[in-house]
Amino acid sequence: FFSFIAASLARLHGSSMAEASPQPEPPKQEAEAPAPAPAEAPAPAPAGGEEDDNAPAPEEEANVEFTPLVKLDEVKTTTGEDEEEVLFKMRAKLFRWESDSWEKEVKLWKERGTGDVRFLQHKETKKVRLLMRREKTMKICANFFVVPTISLAENAGSDRSWVWQCHDYSEGRDGTTETQYSTLAIRFANSENAQKFKEEFEKAKEANKAAGMSGEATGAAPAAAAPEEAPAKEAAPAADAKE
């Protein structure tokens, strides 16, 4: 009987201790990050070596060669300026006093071109010539030696234009030395440029005089090419136009 009572008391004591000291809660587990989705495997090639019509076509590089019908050989051209030194260069507009295209007895100023007028001195002979080419086309519109007998004069009183007469070689063709005794006029953007041109023109005359040139490049002008009367009272061509 006493053992039964002792066992009952022990059970009651154990239950009361369990109620007095609660058991600790188990630790919470952190939420795991979702695993990445597996990459899709490439679609298997069709069996039997058949091609997929929906598959993109592979890019191909075009390799096209064109053969010219006519083969042209490279031609070297010379300007004749390789042995010369540029002493002066300035942009200007050139005119020539000549007969009208329709009425030969009527003379007027005709524009020869716009471009850089240059004084070129030969490295050996030290002779100086004036050379002017048209812009873009590079066609020669003036080419003559600045001999001491050439004199500049104001063109109709303009302070930015000069007129003179000379044997011009610009019309020579096929390597010939064809000359034409011409009355030329040149116009600059302002009077300062015109004065610089005149100074260089006089220096060129002195250089050619020192080089032994006294008249025209081919000697004294022949009687058939005597200078015509210059148009002293002719108005300067388009004197108010901008260069």
Side-chain angles (χ1 to χ4, degrees):
F1 174 78
F2 289 104
S3 61
F4 175 76
I5 294 175
S8 299
L9 291 174
R11 287 195 297 268
L12 290 174
H13 180 73
S15 60
S16 61
M17 289 295 293
E19 292 177 359
S21 58
Q23 296 181 357
E25 297 180 358
K28 297 181 179 181
Q29 297 181 354
E30 296 181 358
E32 297 181 357
E40 297 182 358
E50 297 180 358
E51 297 182 357
D52 187 1
D53 295 337
N54 297 328
E59 297 183 358
E60 297 181 358
E61 296 182 359
N63 188 9
V64 183
E65 295 183 0
F66 296 95
T67 303
L69 299 178
V70 180
K71 185 178 180 181
L72 301 177
D73 297 331
E74 184 179 358
V75 179
K76 295 182 179 180
T77 59
T78 58
T79 61
E81 305 171 19
D82 301 335
E83 299 180 356
E84 293 176 308
E85 179 184 1
V86 180
L87 302 179
F88 176 83
K89 182 175 74 172
M90 184 173 291
R91 190 172 186 271
K93 182 174 291 187
L94 187 71
F95 299 86
R96 185 168 67 184
W97 182 256
E98 59 184 56
S99 301
D100 183 52
S101 302
W102 301 101
E103 300 179 8
K104 299 300 181 180
E105 65 278 4
V106 177
K107 289 196 172 185
L108 52 101
W109 286 111
K110 285 189 177 182
E111 182 178 341
R112 292 283 291 161
T114 301
D116 289 334
V117 57
R118 297 179 297 164
F119 290 107
L120 305 178
Q121 185 176 36
H122 197 276
K123 297 178 181 179
E124 295 182 1
T125 64
K126 303 302 180 181
K127 294 180 180 180
V128 182
R129 63 169 174 156
L130 183 148
L131 180 66
M132 183 172 179
R133 296 179 182 269
R134 298 188 182 100
E135 292 179 339
K136 298 181 181 180
T137 62
M138 302 306 293
K139 185 177 180 180
I140 297 175
C141 54
N143 181 27
F144 60 90
F145 284 102
V146 188
V147 295
T149 56
I150 302 176
S151 59
L152 295 181
E154 290 185 355
N155 188 8
S158 175
D159 61 348
R160 61 191 185 101
S161 180
W162 303 104
V163 62
W164 68 89
Q165 293 179 327
C166 64
H167 281 281
D168 183 27
Y169 290 81
S170 62
E171 299 295 339
R173 298 179 178 88
D174 300 329
T176 61
T177 57
E178 178 183 353
T179 63
Q180 180 179 0
Y181 202 88
S182 305
T183 301
L184 303 177
I186 195 168
R187 190 178 71 240
F188 296 91
N190 49 57
S191 59
E192 290 79 8
N193 291 349
Q195 289 299 322
K196 292 179 181 179
F197 172 80
K198 182 180 181 181
E199 293 175 1
E200 294 297 329
F201 199 96
E202 296 299 328
K203 291 180 182 178
K205 290 168 58 175
E206 293 297 328
N208 284 334
K209 183 177 181 180
M213 299 184 66
S214 57
E216 293 293 340
T218 56
E228 57 184 294
E229 183 178 357
K233 298 182 180 180
E234 183 68 18
D240 56 347
K242 295 182 179 181
E243 299 297 336

